[in-house]
Amino acid sequence: VNVWDGHNVEMIWQSADFNSAPVWSADGRLAFTSYEQSSMTVYVWDGIAVTAVSRRAVFDGNPVWSADGRLAFTGETDLNTEIYVWDGQELTNVSQSPFSDVSPRWSEDGRLAFISDRDGSRDIYVWDGASLTNLTNSPDTDEYKPAWWAPPQ
């Protein structure tokens, strides 16, 4: 992973295999995934050091930052995919389901939408920091990627 400041290129991480999904936070941190030794891990660079946010058996990826600096990503182990949130210190499984939970997207006010098939079809769920709500509850239709709409200012 290389970072260019407009004048210089700095290598902040080197993987024997590959790196992907770089995404910047509002406060200048960089989250990315790195694939090494048959597993994908989410890392965060704070401008000085790189920190491993996750260390799972199979795949952690698709990082996305909230406006307040929390990082959400998908984590897969044993054919189950969950949604995790890292607040800079703690890593929390917010989906807590034996079913597939994917595609996290933050709202401007800090709610997290994602797709889950826990009710038999792919529905949009929202985590408000404390509880989950099934927004779509549509057994005849599958949802694929949630997106938040913000009214024009």
Side-chain angles (χ1 to χ4, degrees), residues 2 9-10 28 42-43 57 66 71 81 133 142 148 150:
N2 295 297
V9 174
E10 178 183 356
V42 174
Y43 292 92
S66 68
L71 182 68
T81 307
T133 302
D142 283 342
W148 293 95

Side-chain angles (χ1 to χ4, degrees), residues 53-66:
V53 173
S54 67
R55 286 251 186 230
R56 294 221 181 338
V58 180
F59 175 89
D60 288 335
N62 306 310
V64 59
W65 290 102
S66 68

Side-chain angles (χ1 to χ4, degrees), residues 5 13 36 48 77 92 118 121 130 134 143 152:
D5 65 6
W13 187 257
E36 296 177 332
I48 298 169
T77 56
T92 304
R118 68 186 64 206
S121 65
N134 183 338
E143 309 296 340

Side-chain angles (χ1 to χ4, degrees), residues 39-57:
S39 70
M40 185 79 81
T41 302
V42 174
Y43 292 92
V44 171
W45 178 66
D46 63 6
I48 298 169
V50 174
T51 301
V53 173
S54 67
R55 286 251 186 230
R56 294 221 181 338

Side-chain angles (χ1 to χ4, degrees), residues 1 24 33 38 46 78 81 96 99 101 107 111 150:
V1 175
W24 289 100
T33 59
S38 301
D46 63 6
D78 301 324
T81 307
Q96 308 246 345
F99 296 93
D101 303 298
S107 68
R111 292 175 294 160

